[in-house]
Amino acid sequence: MEESQNYQILIFGAKTTGPSHIKKGLPCQDAWLSEVFADDSAVIAVADGLGSAEYSEQGAEIAVAAAVSSIKEHYSAVYEDGSRSKDLTKNDAMIREAFFSAVIEIEKYSGLKNIPKKELACTLIVILIDKNTVSVGQVGDGAVAGELLNGDIQILSRPAESEYVNEVTPITAENLPIKISLNANLKDIVNLAAFTDGCQRAVLIKKDGEYRPFIPFFKPLFKYSDSADDILAASEDVKSLLLSQKMTEVSDDDKTLVIATIKKGR
Amino acid sequence: MTLEEMVEIAHPQQPHCPTILLLDISGSMTIGDKISQLNSGIKAFKEEIETDDLARKRVDIAVITFGKKVEVVSDFTSVEDFNPPELVADGLTPMGDAIKKSLEILESRKEEYKKEGIDYYRPWIFLITDGEPTDMEEGDEKWEEVISAIHTGEKDGKFLFFGVGVDSADMETLKKISPPGRTPIKLKENHFKEMFMWLSKSQAKVSASNMGEQVILDDPLGMNGWGEIPTI
């Protein structure tokens, strides 16, 4: 049975400060965090602090930390009868909760430090890998692309619709529940890559108004991740890629790229 | 082979930043030689934008004039390909039809962007007049149509509408036409060039902005600014 198989999950990635941020003396406003719970499940959170928000790099850090710890609780909580919280909670519900936790933590911090909530505004992508399924929630821009078992490369989560290139809705905006775009329990995914908008124009193309993954980017990237075994070295390679002229000439914004490889059995 | 060498990246088109200059070339623009100041202002605008690497590639400019008739003198084009027209002042002020025309070409431009998969910034409509509309009057059908199109368009985020009054412009009427919350600006005498410099600088800032970035424009009303807000 598939459920009883072991999955090994490898996660690596990097974030880099965009040339335009360096020029303006701004910090990198992207943040990411991941955790592999057992061999067969993991969470990844990626956030991009808005350029218009003064302390958005702090908002982004708070958001990813809160999202990861919210999901982690479900995996560590064991009830008296021995059942685990995560077995009683649907994957999409866990993702939604991760978003609410992120906003609650941002609100708490906003109150504590007396910083208006909007100055902590950021986007957020939360990915939950649970055995052989992947669930993704997203508010704002950036995206997640994935490779299926049959080699197809698809978008698992796309940038939120926004007519203009420099406008985006953050998680701190009103009506969060309706803004979360959710794709739960996607099957047969062997590789995935989550990235912020600084990478978007280099790795996605738009055709007939629809975003599509740029295959000559993802195919080699996933081939690389298939054979990667040293997370630190692989993360360094991602960092070099993000800092390369190839990437910076398309966008001078901060860039984050996180890759997860899900290997079946051993 | 390094990861960097392994991957290829998409070479997307530059995002575009559409701007419409909606210019009054009615007969009265000859008074005080405003028309030649306007002409040299447009030239200076092109030259200035061309000095900015990003804005040069990203700003799309269209010029619509209204005088003897409403005319799309120059449809949307990159600043590089833009030939500043030599405008001649004559006729009345069919501002209502000109505004309608500008919204029309803007919509079709957006459709082209969408079809081509080109990202774009929120468009600017920049209206410059020295009079008042002669093809509509407050309360008539066209007036209602035009005002509602501007006010709802701005409110729905379809564009940003800036009204600039020159010389003897009817600022009271221009205020009613302009979206609530964006008071029209009265151009200081002989400050055409300064205004176009501000416009090019603002467009350069907008076209360099990244996702979610707020653009802070220079204040056109400051000591060294080109305009003032009349308190009539």
Side-chain angles (χ1 to χ4, degrees):
Chain A
M1 243 174 73
E2 189 133 61
E3 293 289 308
S4 62
Q5 287 193 18
N6 282 326
Y7 292 87
Q8 190 199 11
I9 302 167
L10 208 69
I11 299 171
F12 59 93
K15 65 168 188 175
T16 58
T17 310
S20 70
H21 282 227
I22 293 171
K23 213 159 85 183
K24 292 179 200 157
L26 291 171
C28 177
Q29 293 164 333
D30 283 359
W32 74 280
L33 193 64
S34 70
E35 191 156 338
V36 178
F37 304 129
D39 272 0
D40 59 359
S41 51
V43 59
I44 301 169
V46 176
D48 177 359
L50 264 61
S52 58
E54 197 176 353
Y55 302 104
S56 67
E57 77 282 3
Q58 297 175 36
E61 291 290 349
I62 294 166
V64 296
V68 167
S69 99
S70 160
I71 286 186
K72 188 181 175 180
E73 272 175 36
H74 285 288
Y75 278 81
S76 47
V78 180
Y79 298 114
E80 283 175 9
D81 64 358
S83 60
R84 283 200 294 172
S85 172
K86 78 115 190 158
D87 296 322
L88 304 172
T89 317
K90 286 186 173 162
N91 290 340
D92 57 344
M94 280 193 265
I95 299 245
R96 280 187 192 281
E97 206 183 300
F99 275 87
F100 293 124
S101 302
V103 175
I104 289 166
E105 290 306 316
I106 286 178
E107 282 171 351
K108 272 193 210 161
Y109 188 79
S110 148
L112 197 70
K113 298 275 178 176
N114 213 3
I115 296 172
K117 195 168 88 173
K118 71 175 175 51
E119 300 300 343
L120 297 161
C122 62
T123 68
L124 183 61
I125 295 174
V126 179
I127 301 168
L128 171 61
I129 302 169
D130 183 61
K131 295 202 177 73
N132 58 335
T133 67
V134 171
S135 303
V136 188
Q138 174 166 2
V139 171
D141 46 38
V144 184
E147 185 178 34
L148 305 184
L149 202 54
N150 66 6
D152 269 5
I153 291 171
Q154 294 177 358
I155 293 199
L156 307 184
S157 183
R158 58 193 68 246
E161 270 313 312
S162 147
E163 184 173 10
Y164 306 119
V165 62
N166 58 342
E167 298 178 12
V168 67
T169 306
I171 55 166
T172 44
E174 301 294 316
N175 297 323
L176 176 68
I178 57 160
K179 294 209 172 74
I180 304 172
S181 139
L182 246 165
N183 291 294
N185 304 318
L186 307 165
K187 299 256 186 215
D188 293 333
I189 289 158
V190 290
N191 280 300
L192 64 84
F195 47 90
T196 54
D197 72 292
C199 300
Q200 208 168 298
R201 286 165 45 75
V203 306
L204 295 184
I205 46 172
K206 227 181 194 177
K207 220 172 167 188
D208 305 323
E210 284 274 306
Y211 283 106
R212 317 236 165 122
F214 187 63
I215 306 296
F217 178 84
F218 288 107
K219 201 85 205 171
L221 177 72
F222 291 144
K223 197 176 158 211
Y224 170 90
S225 65
D226 276 336
S227 61
D229 47 14
D230 181 345
I231 293 178
L232 290 178
S235 296
E236 275 306 311
D237 284 351
V238 172
K239 191 173 183 179
S240 309
L241 168 66
L242 297 183
L243 290 172
S244 70
Q245 202 193 344
K246 240 182 196 172
M247 294 295 286
T248 53
E249 69 184 12
V250 178
S251 167
D252 57 6
D253 202 359
D254 295 337
K255 293 174 195 67
T256 299
L257 175 63
V258 183
I259 295 122
T261 296
I262 306 158
K263 291 173 184 173
K264 200 192 269 187
R266 249 166 298 173
Chain B
M1 203 152 78
T2 66
L3 181 58
E4 179 193 336
E5 288 160 345
M6 284 163 74
V7 300
E8 265 181 60
I9 58 153
H11 282 280
Q13 296 221 43
Q14 294 281 348
H16 287 216
C17 186
T19 301
I20 300 179
L21 298 179
L22 196 51
L23 308 174
D24 181 347
I25 55 161
S26 59
S28 56
M29 285 293 285
T30 50
I31 301 168
D33 215 19
K34 284 174 295 210
I35 193 73
S36 40
Q37 289 182 49
L38 178 64
N39 279 327
S40 41
I42 300 168
K43 282 196 191 84
F45 172 68
K46 175 185 158 86
E47 282 163 18
E48 187 64 21
I49 288 222
E50 281 193 320
T51 63
D52 188 289
D53 276 347
L54 270 185
R56 191 174 64 209
K57 293 178 208 152
R58 295 183 169 184
V59 174
D60 267 355
I61 189 103
V63 179
I64 296 179
T65 55
F66 51 102
K68 215 153 76 179
K69 58 178 178 181
V70 171
E71 193 183 354
V72 181
V73 187
S74 173
D75 207 342
F76 280 109
T77 169
S78 71
V79 169
E80 281 166 312
D81 294 334
F82 171 61
N83 283 320
E86 197 59 46
L87 303 171
V88 180
D90 195 10
L92 297 170
T93 315
M95 191 192 292
D97 286 331
I99 291 172
K100 280 166 70 179
K101 189 77 202 169
S102 71
L103 302 180
E104 198 183 299
I105 69 163
L106 189 55
E107 274 316 302
S108 61
R109 187 63 173 179
K110 283 187 178 182
E111 283 310 311
E112 281 172 44
Y113 289 151
K114 285 177 197 157
K115 221 171 93 197
E116 301 289 323
I118 296 172
D119 291 329
Y120 55 96
Y121 293 91
R122 194 185 295 219
W124 281 31
I125 300 175
F126 207 78
L127 168 80
I128 303 170
T129 180
D130 76 334
E132 58 183 318
T134 51
D135 63 343
M136 60 179 189
E137 236 176 83
E138 189 172 354
D140 71 17
E141 205 177 315
K142 193 189 282 177
W143 171 276
E144 295 300 336
E145 186 193 345
V146 168
I147 300 304
S148 145
I150 294 176
H151 293 196
T152 54
E154 166 106 15
K155 189 164 151 263
D156 296 344
K158 288 191 172 159
F159 49 76
L160 298 173
F161 185 96
F162 297 85
V164 178
V166 182
D167 199 15
S168 56
D170 179 352
M171 295 306 288
E172 199 60 12
T173 303
L174 192 54
K175 189 170 178 180
K176 287 175 188 153
I177 294 172
S178 301
R182 197 184 306 283
T183 312
I185 295 174
K186 177 85 193 278
L187 184 72
K188 288 184 191 165
E189 208 180 335
N190 297 325
H191 274 64
F192 274 96
K193 189 167 177 201
E194 289 80 356
M195 175 183 68
F196 277 106
M197 287 295 123
W198 175 86
L199 184 61
S200 70
K201 219 169 142 188
S202 303
Q203 294 285 275
K205 280 188 183 175
V206 170
S207 62
S209 64
N210 283 316
M211 205 81 75
E213 195 173 347
Q214 203 166 39
V215 179
I216 297 160
L217 304 175
D218 284 352
D219 181 10
L221 307 173
M223 273 281 282
N224 302 311
W226 50 269
E228 52 205 6
I229 290 182
T231 48
I232 44 165

